Amino acid sequence: MKHLFACWGMGLALCISSTASADETVIGYIKTITDQTTIDESAGPIKASLGSPVHVGNVIKTDQNGAAGLTLKDNTILSIGPNTELKIEAYQFEPQQDKLQLNASLLKGTLHYISGVIAKLKPEAVTVKTPTGVIAVRGTRFLVKIEE
């Protein structure tokens, strides 16, 4: 009986350890959503829903009536409008080790950005690329629209 308990305990520890490392790759969550929104992952697109996790490399896409709001671990808020594609290129939020970075690409559509902790601690670590240039964040919020 003691042996079984020890094996079960080790299995639980492995399970917890595995879950914790998987959660480290989550950089934020979908907090608001309307109409059709998808998250393109390496395995292919999935339909987004409230609470869907967001990872580095994901492309969040909305349809002609869609909109979505993402909140990242550092409390950065990214709100996207209809016909938008936003890719999260890089993200690091480890303030104790001074590892701070947020790089995103607005491929098309609209983005309303509200700064989180990364931009407050290290503004030069935040950039948003567009098809025609790069936005270096030096304030707390901005709105950008890519015309088609």
Side-chain angles (χ1 to χ4, degrees):
M1 184 70 161
K2 287 183 181 180
H3 182 68
L4 179 60
F5 179 74
C7 289
W8 179 81
M10 288 190 324
L12 181 60
L14 290 174
C15 204
I16 290 170
S17 168
S18 167
T19 303
S21 66
D23 284 346
E24 287 177 2
T25 62
V26 174
I27 63 166
Y29 296 92
I30 302 286
K31 294 292 188 171
T32 62
I33 196 167
T34 61
D35 216 46
Q36 182 68 31
T37 299
T38 60
I39 301 173
D40 285 1
E41 297 183 331
S42 56
I46 61 165
K47 184 175 180 181
S49 59
L50 287 178
S52 291
V54 177
H55 303 87
V56 170
N58 286 167
V59 178
I60 296 88
K61 295 181 180 180
T62 58
D63 68 3
Q64 66 274 6
N65 299 313
L70 296 75
T71 301
L72 304 181
K73 283 185 173 182
D74 73 312
N75 287 325
T76 295
I77 298 172
L78 304 169
S79 300
I80 60 175
N83 289 320
T84 297
E85 292 183 18
L86 176 70
K87 181 174 185 179
I88 308 298
E89 303 280 356
Y91 186 85
Q92 282 190 308
F93 182 58
E94 298 175 46
Q96 298 83 3
Q97 289 82 34
D98 196 35
K99 294 182 180 178
L100 303 167
Q101 180 183 27
L102 170 56
N103 296 339
S105 294
L106 182 62
L107 307 171
K108 69 176 193 173
T110 57
L111 168 67
H112 182 209
Y113 168 93
I114 301 175
S115 293
V117 175
I118 293 174
K120 289 175 178 68
L121 294 177
K122 194 173 181 182
E124 66 276 10
V126 180
T127 59
V128 177
K129 296 177 188 170
T130 70
T132 57
V134 176
I135 299 168
V137 176
R138 298 294 182 262
T140 57
R141 65 174 51 204
F142 65 84
L143 176 65
V144 62
K145 180 177 183 178
I146 307 297
E147 295 287 335
E148 291 187 41

